[in-house]
Amino acid sequence: MSGPTPTDALPLGRHVDYPREYDAGLLFPIARALGREAIGVDDAALPFVGVDRWHAYELSWLDARGKPRAGTATFEVPADSPRLVESKSLKLYLNSFNATRFDSEAAVLERIAADLSKAAGAPVLVRSGLPPMRGADAAECIDGQDVDIEIYGPPDARLLKVDDSVMVDDTLRSDLLKSNCPVTGQPDWATVVIACRGPRIDRAGLLRYLVSFRDHAEFHEQCVERIFNDLLSVARPERLSVEARYTRRGGLDINPWRATPGVARPAAVRELRQ
């Protein structure tokens, strides 16, 4: 694997033969710097820390005697890795395990960790199982705002408003984030959770801003970094955390999280829609 692959060479949106045997070459890495340049973020001096947490629901392989085995897994790709992994390529890669024999589940997870780490250019954590479903939390849902909305793309940071006279420690949630795959145009749906210590964010403006992603085409990780960067620029908070929990497609969901350095990582959970 020599490096990132241009998006026009990805298997998205075209017929791809079902993999008949294990093949790490199915993974397509994409340079994170490409998306970050578009929002004015220097890839060499990131204003955030974070991770992309993937949930794999359709993991299967053959044991040493040829009997199919099935499981689930969680992958964590560090946000400071030079590359992200395109989701359909990851699905095809995982499908390549379906007819391949391994001595144990541990051997499968070790192989996945090695291959994803090589693709991402940084150590990727792989473990068996999935995090629990989200229970009740203290996040304020902003979706009930009585507002008119007319902008559905491109994302417009001018919609964000803050009250500098009021300093708060807020955790806000919306289930209305939607963007589109930049290659196929398929919709991507997510719950986004924003934790901010700083000037009070206007709820109506924030909702309008999140909805302005509705017709926007960008990868999940890039959308979250755009939201983080816009909020950081407009609100100038002391602390900021943005996590999006995207719904499942092809047996995978992606949960990017970005935060100002020093912010504790939120507990890993899944949404009901995932």
Side-chain angles (χ1 to χ4, degrees), residues 90-126:
L90 180 52
K91 172 182 170 57
L92 292 171
Y93 163 76
L94 293 178
N95 280 338
S96 78
F97 284 74
N98 293 349
T100 305
R101 298 190 183 205
F102 289 88
D103 291 335
S104 64
E105 180 185 25
V108 173
L109 299 180
E110 289 172 6
R111 182 67 59 86
I112 294 172
D115 291 341
L116 289 182
S117 296
K118 183 177 180 181
V124 174
L125 174 66
V126 176

Side-chain angles (χ1 to χ4, degrees), residues 51-67:
V51 68
D52 303 325
R53 190 180 72 252
W54 297 69
H55 302 146
Y57 298 81
E58 300 174 4
L59 180 61
S60 185
W61 65 96
L62 303 179
D63 68 15
R65 299 175 62 187
K67 180 181 177 181

Side-chain angles (χ1 to χ4, degrees), residues 58 91 248-252:
E58 300 174 4
K91 172 182 170 57
R248 194 185 324 176
R249 189 200 297 169
L252 293 166

Side-chain angles (χ1 to χ4, degrees), residues 86-269:
E86 187 277 316
S87 60
K88 185 174 181 180
S89 78
L90 180 52
K91 172 182 170 57
L92 292 171
Y93 163 76
L94 293 178
N95 280 338
S96 78
F97 284 74
N98 293 349
T100 305
R101 298 190 183 205
F102 289 88
D103 291 335
S104 64
E105 180 185 25
V108 173
L109 299 180
E110 289 172 6
R111 182 67 59 86
I112 294 172
D115 291 341
L116 289 182
S117 296
K118 183 177 180 181
V124 174
L125 174 66
V126 176
R127 61 176 178 270
S128 179
L130 303 169
M133 304 302 293
R134 177 178 63 84
D137 61 26
E140 174 190 343
C141 182
I142 66 171
D143 296 344
Q145 300 296 310
D146 185 14
V147 297
D148 294 327
I149 296 180
E150 299 178 350
I151 299 175
Y152 303 102
D156 190 348
R158 293 173 299 179
L159 296 168
L160 293 169
K161 309 294 181 184
V162 298
D163 183 351
D164 292 324
S165 69
V166 181
M167 303 298 288
V168 296
D169 200 339
D170 276 337
T171 302
L172 309 175
R173 186 183 79 249
S174 174
D175 297 319
L176 300 183
L177 179 63
K178 172 194 169 290
S179 54
N180 299 314
C181 171
V183 179
T184 67
Q186 293 185 45
D188 296 318
W189 309 89
T191 291
V192 61
V193 180
I194 298 166
C196 181
R197 174 178 289 180
R200 187 180 190 277
I201 299 172
D202 176 70
R203 274 53 168 170
L206 177 59
L207 183 60
R208 290 189 178 98
Y209 168 73
L210 294 175
V211 173
S212 75
F213 280 78
R214 197 167 183 84
D215 292 336
H216 180 61
E218 202 166 39
F219 291 117
H220 304 69
E221 300 92 333
Q222 295 168 346
C223 286
V224 170
E225 292 184 0
R226 183 181 293 274
I227 294 169
F228 177 92
N229 195 54
D230 285 346
L231 284 169
L232 191 68
S233 298
V234 173
R236 301 190 179 278
E238 295 178 15
R239 296 194 316 217
L240 177 63
S241 170
V242 178
E243 180 183 18
R245 302 166 190 158
Y246 279 87
T247 58
R248 194 185 324 176
R249 189 200 297 169
L252 293 166
D253 67 51
I254 313 175
N255 305 263
W257 168 68
R258 302 292 184 267
T260 48
V263 171
R265 182 174 169 180
V269 296

